[in-house]
Amino acid sequence: AEAAGDAAAASVAAGVAAAATTPKDATTVALESQVGKMIDVRLTDVQDKKIVVSERALVQDVGARALKVGARCAGTVVSLSDFGAFVELSEADLQAPRLEGLVHISEMSWNRISHPRDVVRVGEAVEVKVLEVIQGEGRPPRITFSLKQLQADPLLETLDTIMPVAIEPSVDEDELLDTPLPGLLDICANLLTEEGIDAVIPGRQAIEQRVVSQDLELWLTNVVVADGFNLLARAGRQVQEIHVVTGLDRDAIKRAIKRATSALK
């Protein structure tokens, strides 16, 4: 019996020793560093003699009041979900230090993505634009950020934004500029047969520094034009502006372009 008791005691002692040498996780270390300090918190719940307080809730509320829509902020990706990435603003942020908000998947990239991990990783430093700050009555504030709105919208591109610096063309580039984009003239002719389109005017041509698409692509830009819409036609490194004079709205011109390009297939 004594031997068994000694063995049990040794086992307990070994367990304590093992526990004492187990490395502490970051959360435990952070909490222990706060022992003895005075911190500001928000009372979130009272049950009999038990109260629940939250420093995070206070940080969110105070930060949400100070944060301005449209502000540009630095932060860190703290978690990912299927619908977006949660970003915590830097502790050095002057408006809302440590405030956490969501970058919805639709605000992560101008390109279509299947999951936030296609764009960012947990722990990655990012810059975000504040889209919305909603104060909730008795609920945590809702903060939404955007990554893509700090990047150039590809549908606002023109020849001036694609090639902002004049480059001396090579002989090959001169030849490309004299070569019509494959199928573009046929598409322009098809567009002219669409009801509501008054004119289709091919504009300036240029050579891009990289291949965007081997096949001809038409991009309907978001550039505001008084009498219609501007398109960018791209194939290989060639790019050309197309001006469409029309009273059609954006959805109608999209349908017209789809019919005009489908007719070539």
Side-chain angles (χ1 to χ4, degrees), residues 110-111 151-158 161 219 221-222 232 234:
W110 291 108
N111 299 319
Q151 306 161 6
D153 182 349
L155 295 183
L156 286 174
E157 286 188 328
T158 66
T161 58
W219 294 29
T221 77
N222 289 330
L232 282 182
R234 287 169 147 162

Side-chain angles (χ1 to χ4, degrees), residues 125-233:
V126 293
E127 232 183 342
V128 295
K129 179 180 178 180
V130 181
L131 289 189
E132 190 175 41
V133 179
I134 299 178
Q135 295 280 3
E137 284 296 327
R139 293 173 301 176
R142 191 173 68 192
I143 316 297
T144 54
F145 298 133
S146 175
L147 286 172
K148 77 177 187 182
Q149 291 196 27
L150 294 181
Q151 306 161 6
D153 182 349
L155 295 183
L156 286 174
E157 286 188 328
T158 66
L159 292 195
D160 299 314
T161 58
I162 291 171
M163 304 188 68
V165 180
I167 300 173
E168 190 68 29
S170 65
V171 174
D172 290 342
E173 289 175 349
D174 280 336
E175 291 177 357
L176 280 174
L177 286 172
D178 292 334
T179 305
L181 276 72
L184 181 59
L185 294 179
D186 292 329
I187 291 174
C188 291
N190 290 342
L191 280 173
L192 280 171
T193 66
E194 291 285 333
E195 186 176 350
I197 293 181
D198 302 317
V200 179
I201 307 167
R204 298 174 299 167
Q205 283 186 266
I207 305 300
E208 297 194 81
Q209 297 306 299
R210 61 188 176 86
V211 174
V212 175
S213 172
Q214 292 291 358
D215 299 322
L216 178 65
E217 288 186 346
L218 279 183
W219 294 29
L220 177 61
T221 77
N222 289 330
V223 176
V224 177
V225 181
D227 59 351
F229 297 92
N230 278 351
L231 312 179
L232 282 182

Side-chain angles (χ1 to χ4, degrees), residues 7-86:
S11 176
V12 170
V16 171
T21 58
T22 301
K24 298 175 181 177
D25 61 32
T27 302
T28 302
V29 172
L31 289 172
E32 287 182 349
S33 70
Q34 300 299 311
V35 173
K37 293 183 180 179
M38 295 290 292
I39 59 173
D40 293 324
V41 295
R42 168 146 294 167
L43 181 63
T44 59
D45 193 20
V46 179
Q47 295 180 2
D48 297 327
K49 296 182 180 180
K50 182 186 295 184
I51 65 170
V52 179
V53 297
S54 171
E55 185 189 20
R56 165 67 67 183
L58 184 63
V59 166
Q60 291 290 107
D61 287 349
V62 172
R65 291 194 194 97
L67 199 61
K68 304 297 183 187
V69 172
R72 186 173 185 147
C73 306
T76 303
V77 178
V78 292
S79 65
L80 300 178
S81 70
D82 290 339
F83 54 82
F86 290 91

